[in-house]
Amino acid sequence: MNQPIRMTRTVLLVLAVAFCFTGVAAAQGAQKIDACTLLTKAQIQAAVGQNVGDGKLNANANPAVGIPCEYVIGDYGAFSILVKAAGPGETADKMMAELKKMKIAVSDASGVGDRSFFSSPGYGMLQLNTFKGPWYLIITMLVPGATEAAQKTAAEKLMREALTKI
């Protein structure tokens, strides 16, 4: 009579272990998204209205922070997109608070991902920070001759397109 109970427990234990290992493997695989696969050169060019060079991963980036895909806009502009797993306790509110401490202007960007905000580090550069599920994405752009409003519109459009691939 105890035989079926032991067999059931063994099967449940094996299933639990299998789910644990597949969950770990899935999480490890999920942490490796190539940022250059999230947007195309044509999508960026359409959003910013200027010529855009080919994207390439920044080989000098710190892998612990994430490896952004970088593009050149026009002659001297820049665009990059970074995607990484959000760290423990890494939230939009905490990131905004840290940026404010550094005297960097931040503002909410509603309707993009789970939570998004803009930051303006200076020199005409704009960043759109987005949290979606376990992911943290950052679009950084400096579009020569573009207003802040035009850059925000382009960043939101591009972020929404990138989020469809996550």
Side-chain angles (χ1 to χ4, degrees):
M1 209 183 234
N2 285 336
Q3 184 73 15
I5 293 173
R6 271 187 262 182
M7 185 178 226
T8 302
R9 286 182 185 162
T10 303
V11 169
L12 289 175
L13 180 60
V14 168
L15 287 173
V17 170
F19 283 124
C20 286
F21 284 117
T22 57
V24 168
Q28 288 174 342
Q31 292 178 5
K32 296 181 181 178
I33 294 177
D34 180 346
C36 287
T37 65
L38 298 178
L39 295 169
T40 66
K41 175 176 145 176
Q43 287 173 306
I44 298 166
Q45 193 164 309
V48 300
Q50 295 189 30
N51 289 329
V52 175
D54 293 330
K56 57 186 169 187
L57 292 173
N58 180 336
N60 298 321
N62 179 349
V65 176
I67 301 174
C69 186
E70 299 175 339
Y71 301 80
V72 174
I73 297 176
D75 291 331
Y76 61 90
F79 178 92
S80 72
I81 183 164
L82 170 87
V83 59
K84 68 181 207 89
E90 196 170 34
T91 66
D93 288 334
K94 285 185 180 180
M95 298 306 295
M96 290 174 76
E98 289 300 316
L99 290 168
K100 286 178 184 177
K101 283 182 191 176
M102 294 186 289
K103 308 285 189 229
I104 294 174
V106 296
S107 60
D108 282 318
S110 59
V112 182
D114 296 334
R115 177 88 191 277
S116 294
F117 66 92
F118 287 106
S119 61
S120 300
Y123 303 103
M125 188 180 301
L126 178 83
Q127 290 184 318
L128 176 56
N129 298 259
T130 298
F131 288 82
K132 170 118 192 239
W135 301 109
Y136 179 22
L137 293 86
I138 304 172
I139 284 179
T140 303
M141 58 194 315
L142 174 62
V143 181
T147 65
E148 182 177 322
Q151 288 190 88
K152 283 183 175 182
T153 299
E156 286 180 348
K157 178 182 185 343
L158 292 167
M159 184 64 81
R160 284 188 182 95
E161 291 174 1
L163 290 174
T164 65
K165 295 186 180 175
I166 292 186

